Amino acid sequence: MDLQIPYSNASHRIKLNVGGKLFETTISTLQSGGPDSLLAALSIHPSPDPIFIDRDPEIFSVLLSLLRSDRIPSTAHRFSKQELADEALYYGIESQLRSAMSPPPLSGIDASLVSTIHPASDGVASSFTAAAGDGSVWIAHGGQLSAYDWNLSHSCTIRTHVDEITSMSRVSPNIAAIGSNSAAGLHFYDFCSTRHLGSTHWTDPTDPRIYKARVTSIADSPDYVFSSFECQHRENCILSIDKSTLQVVSEIARQPGSSAKNMATGKLSWLPDTGVIIGTGVSGGAFGYSGYIRIWDPRAGGSVVWETNEPGSGRSSRFGDSFADVDVDMENSIIFKICSKSGDLAMADLRNLGDDPWVYMRDKDPSLRFSGGAMEYVIHCYKGQVFVGREGSLEVWSKVAERENGGEREELVGEELYRRNFVDKMEDSERGIIRKIEGGGNRLFVSRENVEGVEIWESSCFSGAISVL
């Protein structure tokens, strides 16, 4: 419905009686809610008599102020986010409320812990996945899946048939793919119908050892889900699965898993610009860390495009200082790794990989330099920033403003291109070892070892748009 109201009538006043309280505003204000909103429909034929709406007048006052100024008034503090969202949905202005309530653009330097999501039962998160678009999050806890919407209100919980979910990916707006260390197969659940859609297993009729294979990592493209499977006798592979049928399309990178360079892939990423998938496997023990980074092209029969093994020869592994974790900056086509011994952060341009593509970043501020030592590391790239968890502390490497050089922009990879800052305070780092970091919308989500809930980190309202909630 596209309402066409003459400009001369846009400033005409209209009266509303909401729950017994009279309001007077202009047609243009009601129209600012969008042509499909209830308020716009009420303004088509204005009447001299107040139009009655049987809703809460106090919340309507907040929403009317939002339409007038594109801001949420301070009186909104009297209501929960869910109350405001429910009323906005009734009036058809949820998008305006969502825009006003959204946190400012995520800047790690200005980010702070604003809240923690606590699932109702079995509150320790075994995995979670966030939506890049609206900042909603799905949390796996105690064999259950709980969904929290754009304003972090609980929308539903699904009881799955597995005891512990260790791998999880959002493969469509409503469908989650999950894997478990305790149960075989990749399983799909629909949050709309709250039901199990089906499962996919790795099978091989010619090899009886291939049974009860468990999922170690998941990634997806618009048409396919890529999942790494591992059998009990260590044989592993990556399966390409059609999203529409949940059937296996191809088997990629099958290997025996008898050594560190053949272990099951622990983290998978699909690169939309090139269509390749990047997988990493890392293991740690008494003699340190070892592992691999490997790139496959599913369109070429799963052939290996590039790989590196650490520890290895040459400078790529910093003389035995192999990586503890790896992540990919999709937007800038850069892969980052953090070294297990020195704690150094290194980067490599995915468009120019060779035998030794790594550039180790330098920290100009001596007080911020990491002295090295055995630690638990987690790394996550989001919105052009690199977030690093060192034990319980959280830091961010932000890109220094790019400079023009003779009319051309300087190269994306350089040792001084990123600058390091701490995100958390001392009391934040004492809450427990960081196990997972993931960005969604303008939020950063963090979970810690054996600590209930998922932390929500947002930037200060003074660093971007103003939010009063």
Side-chain angles (χ1 to χ4, degrees), residues 99-249:
S99 177
M101 290 175 62
S102 295
L106 180 64
S107 171
I109 298 175
D110 299 313
S112 61
L113 178 63
V114 296
S115 63
T116 301
I117 297 178
H118 292 282
S121 63
D122 297 312
V124 176
S126 57
S127 186
F128 63 85
T129 180
D134 63 3
S136 59
V137 62
W138 297 346
I139 301 175
H141 55 104
Q144 302 175 79
L145 298 172
S146 289
Y148 298 84
D149 62 17
W150 61 271
N151 66 349
L152 303 183
S153 295
H154 177 259
S155 54
C156 72
T157 294
I158 303 173
R159 177 67 196 182
T160 72
H161 66 288
V162 300
D163 294 330
E164 183 181 13
I165 299 164
T166 50
S167 302
M168 185 178 183
S169 179
R170 186 185 298 238
V171 298
S172 85
N174 300 310
I175 298 175
I178 65 168
S180 172
N181 286 337
S182 60
L186 181 69
H187 312 285
F188 298 87
Y189 284 85
D190 187 343
F191 276 99
C192 282
S193 61
T194 65
R195 67 185 182 92
H196 179 220
L197 296 179
S199 301
T200 302
H201 292 266
W202 180 26
T203 59
D204 184 350
T206 65
D207 189 344
R209 300 174 303 166
I210 307 302
Y211 74 104
K212 294 185 178 180
R214 299 169 183 176
V215 169
T216 60
S217 57
I218 311 168
D220 78 301
S221 70
D223 299 317
Y224 302 101
V225 177
F226 302 100
S227 181
S228 174
F229 284 79
E230 181 181 34
C231 294
Q232 293 179 352
H233 72 288
R234 311 294 289 179
E235 191 88 3
N236 62 78
C237 81
I238 298 171
L239 295 184
S240 175
I241 301 162
D242 188 301
K243 283 187 175 182
S244 61
T245 63
L246 305 186
Q247 299 299 309
V248 176
V249 176

Side-chain angles (χ1 to χ4, degrees), residues 75-401:
T75 53
H77 282 297
R78 294 181 292 170
F79 309 102
S80 69
K81 288 185 177 182
Q82 190 59 54
E83 289 174 321
L84 294 172
D86 289 343
E87 290 299 287
L89 181 62
Y90 174 82
Y91 291 110
I93 58 170
E94 187 183 25
S95 61
Q96 285 82 0
L97 180 68
R98 180 182 302 186
S99 177
M101 290 175 62
S102 295
L106 180 64
S107 171
I109 298 175
D110 299 313
S112 61
L113 178 63
V114 296
S115 63
T116 301
I117 297 178
H118 292 282
S121 63
D122 297 312
V124 176
S126 57
S127 186
F128 63 85
T129 180
D134 63 3
S136 59
V137 62
W138 297 346
I139 301 175
H141 55 104
Q144 302 175 79
L145 298 172
S146 289
Y148 298 84
D149 62 17
W150 61 271
N151 66 349
L152 303 183
S153 295
H154 177 259
S155 54
C156 72
T157 294
I158 303 173
R159 177 67 196 182
T160 72
H161 66 288
V162 300
D163 294 330
E164 183 181 13
I165 299 164
T166 50
S167 302
M168 185 178 183
S169 179
R170 186 185 298 238
V171 298
S172 85
N174 300 310
I175 298 175
I178 65 168
S180 172
N181 286 337
S182 60
L186 181 69
H187 312 285
F188 298 87
Y189 284 85
D190 187 343
F191 276 99
C192 282
S193 61
T194 65
R195 67 185 182 92
H196 179 220
L197 296 179
S199 301
T200 302
H201 292 266
W202 180 26
T203 59
D204 184 350
T206 65
D207 189 344
R209 300 174 303 166
I210 307 302
Y211 74 104
K212 294 185 178 180
R214 299 169 183 176
V215 169
T216 60
S217 57
I218 311 168
D220 78 301
S221 70
D223 299 317
Y224 302 101
V225 177
F226 302 100
S227 181
S228 174
F229 284 79
E230 181 181 34
C231 294
Q232 293 179 352
H233 72 288
R234 311 294 289 179
E235 191 88 3
N236 62 78
C237 81
I238 298 171
L239 295 184
S240 175
I241 301 162
D242 188 301
K243 283 187 175 182
S244 61
T245 63
L246 305 186
Q247 299 299 309
V248 176
V249 176
S250 62
E251 181 182 292
I252 303 170
R254 183 166 175 174
Q255 52 189 4
S258 56
S259 63
K261 67 179 182 180
N262 289 328
M263 73 181 75
T265 301
K267 182 181 285 188
L268 277 175
S269 301
W270 177 77
L271 272 62
D273 289 343
T274 58
V276 301
I277 54 176
I278 299 180
T280 60
V282 183
S283 66
F287 298 100
Y289 283 84
S290 59
Y292 65 83
I293 305 172
R294 202 164 290 146
I295 302 177
W296 299 273
D297 188 348
R299 300 159 301 183
S303 60
V304 176
V305 177
W306 179 84
E307 70 175 315
T308 183
N309 298 289
E310 295 192 3
S313 59
R315 293 185 299 124
S316 64
S317 60
R318 276 281 184 100
F319 306 104
D321 190 7
S322 61
F323 57 80
D325 198 15
V326 177
D327 204 30
V328 181
D329 180 345
M330 304 288 190
E331 182 180 349
N332 295 306
S333 296
I334 299 175
I335 187 168
F336 290 86
K337 69 172 183 176
I338 187 162
C339 299
S340 59
K341 294 179 181 178
S342 65
D344 290 343
L345 189 68
M347 60 194 300
D349 190 339
L350 285 168
R351 295 158 297 190
N352 188 28
L353 293 172
D355 293 336
D356 184 23
W358 301 107
V359 174
Y360 292 85
M361 294 194 283
R362 292 194 305 180
D363 200 332
K364 289 185 176 181
D365 188 345
S367 66
L368 295 179
R369 288 176 185 164
F370 179 62
S371 59
M375 273 194 172
E376 298 279 351
Y377 297 106
V378 178
I379 184 172
H380 179 68
C381 302
Y382 190 64
K383 291 187 177 293
Q385 304 166 90
V386 186
F387 295 91
V388 177
R390 300 181 190 269
E391 296 284 343
S393 66
L394 181 64
E395 67 185 41
V396 61
W397 290 77
S398 304
K399 189 184 297 183
V400 178

Side-chain angles (χ1 to χ4, degrees), residues 409-426:
R409 198 171 293 275
E410 290 189 355
E411 62 179 355
L412 288 174
V413 175
E415 61 184 11
E416 296 181 1
L417 181 61
Y418 286 76
R419 185 168 298 159
R420 176 184 174 216
N421 284 278
F422 294 111
V423 179
D424 55 2
K425 301 176 183 178
M426 182 63 71

